[in-house]
Amino acid sequence: MAILEVAIPVPLTQTFDYKSEVEVAKGVRVKVPFGCKKVIGIVLAQKDKSNFEKLRSIEEVLDDTPILDQPMLDFLRWSAQYYHHPIGEVISTALPKNLRIGKDAIIKKITGLPNKIEKPGFSITEEQREAIEKISTSLNKYHGFLLHGVTGSGKTEVYLRLAQTVLNQGKQVLVLVPEIGLTPQMIARFESRLSACIVSIHSQLNETQKLDAYLMAKNGSAGVVLGTRSAIFAPMPNLGLIIIDEEHDTSFKQQSSFRYSARDLCFVRAKQANIPVILGTATPSLEMLKQVMDKKITRLVLAQRAGNAILPKINLIDMRTETGVALSAMLVEKMRQHLSNNKQVMLFINRRGYAPVYFCTECSWKSTCEHCDSSMIYHRHINRLKCHHCNDEKMPEQTCPECGKQSLEVFGYGTQRLEETLGSHFVNTPIIRIDRDTTRRKKAFEQHLKQINSGDPCIIVGTQMLAKGHDFSNLAMVGVLDIDGGLLSSNFRGTEYLAQLLIQVSGRAGRSGEQGEVTIQTRYPDHPIFNYVLSNRYTQFASTLLKQRAQAKMPPFSHQVLICANAKIKQNAENFLQEIANLLKNIKMDSVEIWGPVAPVMEKKADYYYFNLYLQSDDRKSLHQMLATLNQHTHTLTLKNKVRWYLDIDPVE
Ligand code: ADP
Ligand code: ZN
Ligand code: ZN
């Protein structure tokens, strides 16, 4: 008889021991009784004896061969430890749903077979050649490379050539892209260039497709796995290279349940497999720039746009003199010019819906969400007010609930209202709106992209879904509206994110041939960020930010952990964190600073009140030791059953 240590997807840090009549290998799925339920777990180890007396028996062995091999198990264990997250839940995040629920590990339909390969119609630039050469020399060992290339500099070409070299060695390549960067365009580009089987892993696939892709990665038949953040857990026994595109993008951090950073885990996986990792971006995160400063990774620069494309001209429009309008007269005039040259124009506004404010012109009452500290957004086509935080919706009031007058109006602009306003300015020009409301249907986004790629003159209106990775060749101008919120952000990373966004959005303009134009409307034209953004000097801006962070000892010059609690009764959330703070202060770790509890800007969300406690230290080890000690004492917290709480290691929000 054998004793098995099993990881079970429950929010508990420990593992569970079971008896088994037969030997079961590590990494195999087993069905076991748990409480009064049956659950599916993964065997982590065989043991000679258990600390528990009465062991229950496993009910069923689900696999002949392990689902997770030893390196994968090690990687997942490491992740669980680093993020202080239960191993059972970590494993469950890493597996496709069909394996989680016990379906057979069988490929239904082989996909992604090699296509006919096309040769590029250009030769690579000197900068591209140098980058490829440098990375090629360390293909069979661990090394991190920051491929810092301006938008349109041909980073993808560098990935493609290196990927082919690695494939030629019989090895696999993992490519991670941001959530909305994985367009059919990107997949097609890889498929048309690489002689390999390419599978993609992202949320738009159905569960059968996800399982097939997972298993093809696992049996080595997929040469390339192209996916969003969860693809970091794709089993790839012959992994030879990891590429992470748009490294700075925050969608690589999972913001619920198991809060891992796929970007940071890339390094762990690359080290484990002893292979290089390439992080590509036009706007490196301060974290990666710090790694370069510390000589932990190597920065390779592509300073020129590929082909004959040149960087766009960026200018500002001072909106202080243009009250109440979304589009300044100057912006409309510039748009007219480009459209009359048969070019496309894109306007970028980071709010969907019709208008963000529904208010009373008599008494200033404003419609707010009953469940959140936020205002209700008016959606005109359905004539409803919606909360974008909890999805609550209601009919707009006809008369003011405060003063009783019929003086309610909308204020401000979202994508829908902008689309309408544009329609009155540009009667004969097609307007394509791209936001979560117009792309909810699976194929809708693809259809919109197809229309844009036809190259016909049009106005594209979109949210930040549009900021990433798209290559619209006939786009001559980008207008950026309404970014002032980002300048006033309470997040200390606010200006870093805004600069990245502005440069990325600008990068959409003038990708081929003529110089594009970018126009930013703002009420704060004197903000220092514009000194840098207007001249495309992201790197200089980033170094001023790095200096400030170093002085203030903020990340990346220190490490942070967020402990967040939320409860229906506000006091419980705050008091719970105070209990934790007291407990942590007793641990007496001088190198760790403890701040809080503090209420976030949006205190109430979906009827729960939130509080944050921050731990910060320049010594990661002490921080983790402190958390480990905390974990041993959480049972003593008196309010633990009255709150929901989580840890966020290296938080980004
Ligand atoms: P990035 O990923 O850096 O934004 P891309 O790899 O998308 O840039 O390249 C932008 C465009 O330039 C693509 O259409 C690509 O085919 C083209 N391109 C890449 N390298 C070269 C080159 N050496 N010469 C000409 N065109 C190139
Ligand atoms: Zn009123
Ligand atoms: Zn709400």
Side-chain angles (χ1 to χ4, degrees), residues 35 168 192 393 476 507 538 556 604 613 632:
N168 292 345
S192 71
E393 45 174 276
Y538 174 80
K604 184 175 155 196
L613 184 70
Q632 287 162 13

Side-chain angles (χ1 to χ4, degrees), residues 203-214:
S203 57
Q204 304 253 298
L205 300 178
N206 66 37
E207 291 305 327
T208 315
Q209 292 169 321
K210 281 184 198 165
L211 178 59
D212 285 349
Y214 186 90

Side-chain angles (χ1 to χ4, degrees), residues 360-365 400 402-405 407-408:
C360 173
T361 52
E362 288 290 325
C363 73
S364 308
W365 169 88
C400 174
E402 200 69 32
C403 70
K405 300 219 173 85
S407 46
L408 297 174

